[in-house]
Amino acid sequence: MKRRMKRLSALLAAAAMTVSLTACGNTASTETERVEESADNAGAETNGQDGTAKAENDKAASGEQKTITIAWTNIMDSQQQIWEKYIFAPFLEKHPEVEIDFQCLPDLQNTVRVQVAAGAGPDMFYMDSIDIPDYASTGRILNLEKYREQYGLDDQMFDWAIRSCLYQEQMYALPASVEATAMTYNKDLLDQLGKDVPTNREEFVAVCDAALEAGLIPISFGYPGQTLLITWPYEHYLTCYAGGEKTAQLLRGEIGFDDPDIRGAFELLKADWDAGYVNDKKSGAITNDEARSLFANQKAVFNYEGPWLILADGAAKNWDFEWGQCAWPSMKEGVPAGSAITLGEAIGITANSEVADLCVEMMMDFYSDKERVGKAVAEGFSTPAVAIGEEDYPADMDENIRKTLDVQSANMELESVGYAPWGFFPAKTTTFLDDNLDKVFYDKMDMDTFIEKANETIAQDFEDGYTFAG
């Protein structure tokens, strides 16, 4: 469902007026003509003396009015409001000649891919960095090198986030958010089991076995209809069994999936699956929302999800227990407990957009305003790919968000970090792993075949020009 942001600055200026904006992709209300008329009147009353409202109307009448269309994933209402408050509203106040059409789509990736291929896509859209080569090689997204230089992006944003948005050494997307994976745990249940937060393989197994004996689920996880979520478990095992450097060697083509450490990570995950540690081998039958409910209702000790569970989705607000997040425990002696960094979201701009300058300006206005970024993140917005200082956050930040940000910051600074598949792995390989690992879980594909086909797939990605961004 579309959201019209027309004359939002006038709406915000009318102190006595309450406005309900249309929600993206969720149950929503539509603005009536009465609200539009009130907005116009409010704008006239606020700006009449200096002629701003008349100038805006003149621009619209002369054909100078411009619309930025944005397609984003189906985010929660609270996230939509942060976009409106901290990104759209300040920009529309600066550019009264602009309207914003913000669409949040349940099946975003497939919908946008079809639209962009037909030359009718949005001006800017959410994308995963692994999709950049496909869009860039076919000329469907804009080369952003001139903006990279204009805004000094290499000086403002994390270097690895910039590299995640390159294709053939050219920038084709804006880094939107960064993440560091984590293990989420129920501290109350650990106390009931008489266990500490595990930091190594032995401690992890002891907790999982104790949980099973107590009738609890060691790790809540579900993925039907969303096989891309399978990246969570195999990332943890690659990072904490094979290690970040071995993962980097795999992605540079120096070793294959048959390397003893890479293969060993998948074999250990399969063994833990067979042991019933992962939702008693029922993850293929329950959704991610159901897995979250099991954790929220204290039926599970651990959850695979990282900081996004607390920040963007606000899950901890409804938890009635002490919880925590930390690096995933070591899965092999000599490999430290670890976390994987990744670009959580990237922004693509369609090649035929007539408002590309405005799109980049809007986002850079936000990213460059550290106080605004700090307030947005404090309200649960995904952390942008820019350094945020302690002084940038409001003092009254929500305790849950503060805790999560502290863990994410610590995990990003670990001596050994991994590389999350959804930000660093090549597209064909990621798709193969996501679509076929559950066949290994349920004994419909043996490990030898899985490893062999994974090697064939990543070889094709290298032939297609994939370059590791780590």
Side-chain angles (χ1 to χ4, degrees), residues 7-179:
R7 298 180 179 83
L8 180 58
S9 58
L11 292 172
L12 294 173
M17 185 181 301
T18 301
V19 179
S20 176
L21 293 174
T22 310
C24 294
N26 299 311
T27 303
S29 60
T30 304
E31 294 181 70
T32 63
E33 292 181 1
R34 180 184 59 79
V35 175
E36 283 285 343
E37 183 179 4
S38 297
D40 291 340
N41 291 340
E45 291 172 4
T46 304
N47 302 315
Q49 291 183 350
D50 60 16
T52 303
K54 181 179 183 301
E56 179 182 340
N57 291 334
D58 289 343
K59 288 178 182 178
S62 64
E64 294 182 26
Q65 199 79 13
K66 299 176 181 179
T67 299
I68 299 174
T69 58
I70 305 171
W72 209 250
T73 190
N74 195 29
I75 55 178
M76 298 173 62
D77 287 344
S78 59
Q79 290 293 303
Q80 296 166 28
Q81 292 165 11
I82 294 174
W83 274 86
E84 294 159 8
K85 181 177 180 181
Y86 293 110
I87 299 177
F88 298 151
F91 187 73
L92 292 177
E93 186 174 359
K94 177 182 178 183
H95 287 282
E97 79 282 7
V98 172
E99 297 175 11
I100 293 176
D101 182 358
F102 189 39
Q103 308 171 33
C104 300
L105 308 173
D107 192 19
L108 170 80
Q109 301 283 35
N110 290 331
T111 301
V112 169
R113 190 168 283 110
V114 171
Q115 290 177 345
V116 173
D123 293 300
M124 58 180 271
F125 61 96
Y126 167 106
M127 65 190 303
D128 290 322
S129 56
I130 61 174
D131 293 323
I132 292 173
D134 179 52
Y135 280 114
S137 63
T138 53
R140 287 178 285 169
I141 55 175
L142 196 64
N143 184 312
L144 304 183
E145 275 295 305
K146 74 171 186 178
Y147 301 112
R148 181 183 182 184
E149 180 177 354
Q150 177 183 346
Y151 289 98
L153 298 186
D154 292 85
D155 295 326
Q156 292 200 52
M157 295 184 161
F158 299 137
D159 56 355
W160 60 266
I162 293 286
R163 290 197 301 272
S164 296
C165 292
L166 302 183
Y167 173 72
Q168 296 183 345
E169 302 303 316
Q170 298 284 298
M171 188 174 185
Y172 278 88
L174 269 179
S177 68
V178 293
E179 299 169 345

Side-chain angles (χ1 to χ4, degrees), residues 305-317:
E305 298 186 69
W308 59 87
L309 181 63
I310 314 300
L311 298 176
D313 295 344
K317 294 178 181 178

Side-chain angles (χ1 to χ4, degrees), residues 310-330:
I310 314 300
L311 298 176
D313 295 344
K317 294 178 181 178
N318 300 316
W319 293 347
D320 189 23
F321 54 85
E322 185 178 352
W323 63 275
Q325 289 185 323
C326 62
W328 197 257
S330 168

